[in-house]
Every structure is written in structure tokens, then in C-alpha cells.
Amino acid sequence: MSGSAAVMSGGAAAVFWIGATYFLFVVSRAMHRRMGAWWSSPLLMTCGSCLALALCLHASYGDYMRGGQWLLMLLGPATVAFALPIHEHRALIRKHWQTLLVGLACGSLLAFGGTWLVSGWLGLSDGLRLAILPRSFTTPFAMAFASDVGGSPDLAAVCVILTGVFGASIGGVLLRILPLRSSFARGMMFGMGAHGAGVARAREVGAEEEAVAGLVMVLAGVGCALIGLAVSLLK
Amino acid sequence: MHNRVALARDSMGRGMRTFFQAGLLIGLWWVCEAASRTCHLGVPGGVLGLFVLAALLLSGRFPVRWVSGGAGLLLDNFLLFFVPAAMTLLNHPEFLGWTGLKVVAVVVVGIFLVMVGTAMAVEWHLVLRSRHVR
């Protein structure tokens, strides 16, 4: 540890990093509302500026996580909160459950197949390929999958985050290009392509999109963990 | 004057209720996380909690308004909770070089494949079904 971050005590560092992250998040969100460009997505901007701030202050990951762990902890309760939009739109989901299964199957197949093939073409090492494989699924499931098939769960988490950061932006661009008329297709696109970050982006698009995306994120994650479990049992 | 005080008290009450409801959701998550860990369920506490809350809401004994404010607060700030996860990049300087660029390329190409594929498959299936119904 060196630089100004080292001067702060544990408690002060925690308050500082929570405050700084929240401040950057609020500013990024306000800027995104005004500009609406794909690169101004709040997650991309907040992550970028937080990383830059940490590098400028010579703060380590451990320094940041003194405060960051409390924000990260809230990811769990926020996942619980998705029960509300799903419950609210249960009629829509019940009506289209077959389409939901089609989308889940297609999306999962493309997620595993596409990632495996492209990473092979680019000549990534086998260890990295196994870690990047579950990148489309929400963090806890992806980490479980990676350790089941023999990849590093830590690297898997990094790839999942990269997917979320870029996916939320790319989804916003695709929304303008693809001729999608149903809220169901838009929701599934976000939930399948960019897990939690996509669901948060879908919330900006509409309430039905959010509910569908949230459900798809959870179901795809459970499916991913089951596949990982099957692979580890077959080995 | 009296009205304004009442209004202020009202909005403060609403704020308190929202925080209390968020606390309730945090409590539910905490219990589910503990249950998942002690029983080795292999499902994260958040997901178990989602199923439990959805079951409670569906049963009709647990009204939506008991948690709707708190859930809104958590969902509005959902992206904020992802930022610390991205900070793991500080521990992986190897991602800042050539390998990182390749990983980003895999991620971006993969996202396009999954998103376009899923969205088109779902849209196509919906159109097919609606034609079938007619």
C-alpha cells in the first residue's frame, strides 16, 4: 500500500469508497440520461472512473473492497427483489412459457458454443477458455460452473463482469437495429446476453422487459450450474 | 404551514418505510444464504430468496405492498452493486495487455451472437405461434 489511500484508516476508507462509487454512479447515470450514447452506459462509466480513481490513488483491490464489499453484498438482496417484477408479470410468463424455453435453449447453446469457438480461434490458453466459457451467466453460477469444469472461478468472475459491462451497452444498440416487436424478445435478449447488468438495462426499457430478463437470468444460471455439475460427474 | 409539516412528515415516513422494507429483503436474503450454506444446496442465497419470495407472493398471504418500495430501491440501484465486482480487474493486470484485448474480443463477439440469436429465435417463435392460433 502506498499513496493517499494508505493514510486512511479502515473505516474512513470504507466510507470514502462507498461514497466515491455512489457519487460516480449518480453522475454517470445523469450524464447517460442526457447523452444516451452506447459508451455512456452508467455501468461502463462508473466502472471506468472507479478503476481510474483507484489507480490514481494507488489503492489496491483490498483497499477498495473495505467499502466495496458492502455494495457487493447488496447484490444478493437485489436478486431477491426480482421476485416482484416476475410476480407482477406472471400472466405474461405463463402465457409464453414455451417461447421462454426456446429462447433459453438457443441462448445457452450460443453462449457456450460461441464463446468456446471464438476463444479457440483467437488462441487463448485452455485454462482461460474454461474460465471464460460461463461468461453469459450470473456470477455465482458462473463461478460454480468454472470450478466444476476445471477453470479458475476468479477469472470466470472477471469475464462475467466484462460481459455485463459490454452487454448492457451492446443490447442498447441492438434495440435500435433489430426489428423486435415483442417485449418478450427484448427482455430475453437482455437477460440471456448480459445477465444482471442486462436486467438493469431492461428496467430502463420497460416493466415487462425487466420481468422477463430477470426470470431468464435466474433460469439460465440454474441451467448453467446443472450442466457444470453434470460435466464434473462425467469426468 | 400545518399542511407542509404534515407533508414533510409523510414523505419522511415513506422514506423510513422504504428503508425498512429494503431491510426486510436483506434479512430474507441473509436467512436464505445461511440456509443454502448449511444445507449445501449449491444455489446462491439470492436465488433461493427469489424463489421463496415469489412463492410467498403467489400464496397471496404476503401482500406485494409490504416490500414493493424496498424492492424498487434495490432494483433502481442494481447496477451500482456490480461496480465492486468489476474492481477485481485491479488484481488482474494481465487483462490490461494483449490477452485482455483477446478476452474482450471473445466477450463482444459472444454477446452479439447470444443477443441476436436469442432475440430472433424468440421473436420468430412468437410470430409462428400467433399464426398458428389464427
Side-chain angles (χ1 to χ4, degrees):
Chain A
M1 283 217 300
S2 62
S4 45
V7 183
M8 281 188 277
S9 70
V15 172
F16 172 77
W17 283 113
I18 292 175
T21 310
Y22 188 68
F23 174 75
L24 291 170
F25 176 66
V26 169
V27 171
S28 301
R29 200 156 60 170
M31 278 172 77
H32 179 61
R33 280 201 186 126
R34 200 165 269 193
M35 293 192 284
W38 67 267
W39 50 265
S40 72
S41 109
L43 187 60
L44 200 63
M45 296 247 287
T46 314
C47 290
S49 49
C50 261
L51 278 170
L53 184 65
L55 288 174
C56 286
L57 294 175
H58 298 285
S60 69
Y61 177 66
D63 296 333
Y64 178 83
M65 286 313 275
R66 279 179 206 275
Q69 60 175 329
W70 299 104
L71 291 177
L72 193 62
M73 185 214 85
L74 287 172
L75 214 49
T79 308
V80 177
F82 275 111
L84 269 88
I86 292 172
H87 174 258
E88 198 177 326
H89 297 280
R90 59 193 180 283
L92 179 84
I93 290 158
R94 200 172 291 151
K95 191 176 157 202
H96 294 306
W97 65 272
Q98 288 167 324
T99 313
L100 190 81
L101 287 184
V102 168
L104 270 172
C106 271
S108 304
L109 204 69
L110 282 168
F112 282 125
T115 307
W116 185 249
L117 287 178
V118 177
S119 60
W121 289 335
L122 287 174
L124 294 180
S125 69
D126 277 353
L128 196 51
R129 279 178 85 190
L130 286 173
I132 202 173
L133 197 55
R135 54 156 200 89
S136 290
F137 306 93
T138 182
T139 319
F141 292 117
M143 287 173 85
F145 178 92
S147 59
D148 279 341
V149 300
S152 147
D154 202 27
L155 286 179
V158 177
C159 297
V160 170
I161 291 307
L162 285 175
T163 301
V165 171
F166 286 105
S169 297
I170 293 174
V173 174
L174 287 177
L175 218 51
R176 286 179 214 160
I177 301 171
L178 293 178
L180 301 177
R181 277 177 299 171
S182 66
S183 60
F184 211 80
R186 290 191 288 267
M188 288 217 63
M189 179 182 86
F190 276 112
M192 201 60 235
H195 53 88
V199 182
R201 182 68 178 77
R203 185 177 174 79
E204 293 170 21
V205 180
E208 287 183 352
E209 281 86 345
E210 182 199 15
V212 173
L215 186 69
V216 167
M217 169 186 77
V218 170
L219 291 180
V222 172
C224 163
L226 287 178
I227 293 171
L229 200 66
V231 169
S232 71
L233 289 176
L234 286 174
K235 263 206 271 195
Chain B
M1 186 64 200
H2 180 75
N3 205 0
R4 201 175 292 167
V5 171
L7 212 71
R9 198 193 296 145
D10 207 43
S11 81
M12 209 168 84
R14 205 173 304 136
M16 287 283 282
R17 196 163 60 215
T18 302
F19 274 105
F20 179 76
Q21 290 181 351
L24 203 66
L25 288 168
I26 294 172
L28 179 61
W29 163 77
W30 191 82
V31 169
C32 290
E33 183 76 35
S36 161
R37 228 171 253 172
T38 45
C39 304
H40 301 287
L41 293 178
V43 174
V47 173
L48 184 64
L50 190 156
F51 286 125
V52 169
L53 184 57
L56 280 173
L57 292 171
L58 278 175
S59 79
R61 297 214 184 109
F62 192 91
V64 172
R65 64 185 157 76
W66 281 5
V67 283
S68 57
L73 179 73
L74 286 171
L75 293 178
D76 277 338
N77 293 295
F78 194 47
L79 283 180
L80 175 68
F81 312 140
F82 272 95
V83 178
M87 297 299 274
T88 24
L89 280 171
L90 287 173
N91 270 352
H92 292 279
E94 74 264 28
F95 273 84
L96 294 176
W98 190 229
T99 314
L101 219 58
K102 280 186 183 171
V103 169
V104 168
V106 175
V107 166
V108 169
V109 173
I111 291 168
F112 269 106
L113 277 173
V114 172
M115 283 191 160
V116 174
T118 309
M120 295 318 279
V122 168
E123 186 83 7
W124 176 75
H125 191 252
L126 283 174
V127 169
L128 209 73
R129 269 191 75 195
S130 68
R131 266 194 208 141
H132 193 68
V133 170
R134 271 177 218 155

